Amino acid sequence: MKIAVMSCIHGNYAALDAVLLDIDRQKAEKIYCLGDLVGYGPYPNAVVEQIRSLDIPTVQGCWDEDIVEGLNACDCSYPSLLAEKRGKIAHEWTNKQVNPEVREYLAQLPHTYKEDNLCFVHGSPNSNHEYLLPEMDAFTALERVLSSDADLLFCGHTHVPYVRTLDSGQLQVKVHQPNQNKQPTVSFNTPLKRIINVGSVGEPRHGRPNATYVIYDTETQAVNLQEVEYDYQTTCAAILDAGLPPIFAWRLARGLEFAEKADDPTHVCER
């Protein structure tokens, strides 16, 4: 069966519409969504209503969570104080725009979704806010997949698509036991695991403005990273018309994340 997996739509209805049309052309039999339906973009309600109308299995993203629970920004959530200020403006604008039905829908979304040997999350099985970056330590990345009890972990959140294969073979773990001179080592075998980051429909950051998503064949296990052109200039104009920070339109048109030098270096997360 061919399935389509998408993430990070961010209120960009034009991008969502283009991706849905492409999914239809690819003849995918089922669609999954990894959250962040809202935030940054000008059409949060329309995006959620479309996802709901198609009954697409969807997990909660960090923006969806924050709109429901309130802004969950720590001191290291943004690369600079200016970026944090823009993020708060976007949060406040989106919070005012979403209607009660949309808020209720976002509130009931699960953090993870399992189907057979596949697991779908926004950030990681641990948190909507955790980034599974391609350069993450292999042991840590493998632990995240193992914690999902799946062979294949689909995620988003970074807005940059990638496929990572974790061929672990035999792992050896030292188990710390107090009051023992020699610490025991536990060995176990794990089958091949994969992390598939599906990128972003509505705010890509891979260097081009095209929307990205993934087609996965459950029989052949083939992964195709799809890139879809759409009229991003319409969304950029709507961002400006809505009074959202113009930098959101700038980075959408370039497929980049704009991160200026931090105003205060102590504000940047070093972890």
Side-chain angles (χ1 to χ4, degrees):
M1 180 172 72
K2 286 171 69 174
I3 66 171
V5 190
M6 59 182 176
S7 185
C8 304
I9 304 169
H10 286 293
N12 188 339
Y13 189 83
L16 173 61
D17 189 51
V19 164
L20 290 173
L21 287 172
D22 193 71
I23 288 172
D24 189 57
R25 285 191 289 267
Q26 300 297 327
K27 294 181 168 51
E29 298 171 60
K30 195 165 185 179
I31 307 172
Y32 301 86
C33 181
L34 307 183
D36 267 11
L37 307 183
V38 303
Y40 298 125
Y43 301 114
N45 291 317
V47 164
V48 172
E49 287 162 7
Q50 180 71 299
I51 295 294
R52 290 184 69 184
S53 70
L54 297 174
D55 199 25
I56 296 174
T58 301
V59 298
Q60 190 180 70
C62 57
W63 266 89
D64 310 324
E65 178 185 359
D66 287 352
I67 288 299
V68 173
E69 302 292 340
L71 191 60
N72 187 29
C74 68
D75 286 343
C76 59
S77 294
Y78 295 90
S80 71
L81 296 172
L82 181 57
E84 181 176 7
K85 181 180 178 181
R86 290 196 299 262
K88 287 183 176 179
I89 290 171
H91 180 274
E92 291 168 1
W93 184 92
T94 304
N95 194 44
K96 291 176 182 176
Q97 293 295 315
V98 295
N99 60 47
E101 294 79 14
V102 164
R103 195 182 304 275
E104 182 179 351
Y105 173 79
L106 296 177
Q108 58 83 40
L109 291 175
H111 286 269
T112 62
Y113 184 84
K114 281 284 301 294
E115 195 160 299
D116 299 324
N117 67 331
L118 311 177
C119 183
F120 305 87
V121 301
H122 177 70
S124 85
N126 288 2
S127 167
N128 287 336
H129 296 262
E130 182 180 27
Y131 290 93
L132 295 185
L133 298 171
E135 63 269 20
M136 174 181 272
D137 173 78
F139 188 87
T140 304
L142 180 62
E143 185 279 329
R144 297 299 188 266
V145 186
L146 291 172
S147 71
S148 72
D149 193 27
D151 294 329
L152 188 54
L153 180 65
F154 289 95
C155 64
H157 192 41
T158 70
H159 295 215
V160 179
Y162 70 84
V163 180
R164 184 176 185 182
T165 300
L166 299 161
D167 187 4
S168 57
Q170 187 180 71
L171 292 178
Q172 292 189 337
V173 181
K174 282 193 174 183
V175 181
H176 177 71
Q177 293 185 350
N179 304 321
Q180 288 195 15
N181 292 329
K182 188 176 181 180
Q183 303 299 330
T185 299
V186 178
S187 298
F188 60 95
N189 292 301
T190 65
L192 181 144
K193 306 287 185 180
R194 280 200 289 182
I195 296 175
I196 299 177
N197 191 304
V198 304
S200 172
V201 169
E203 198 186 73
R205 296 176 184 170
H206 63 292
R208 291 179 295 278
N210 303 333
T212 64
Y213 76 99
V214 159
I215 293 286
Y216 176 71
D217 191 314
T218 60
E219 184 176 342
T220 65
Q221 299 183 8
V223 181
N224 289 307
L225 300 175
Q226 301 292 118
E227 195 165 328
V228 182
E229 295 183 358
Y230 74 100
D231 183 10
Y232 62 84
Q233 292 179 345
T234 297
T235 302
C236 289
I239 287 172
L240 298 177
D241 290 343
L244 288 162
I247 194 66
F248 295 168
W250 183 94
R251 66 188 187 187
L252 181 62
R254 291 160 176 80
L256 298 173
E257 180 178 15
F258 183 83
E260 67 280 271
K261 186 177 180 181
D263 311 281
D264 174 9
T266 63
H267 191 73
V268 180
C269 179
E270 299 294 341
R271 292 179 292 177

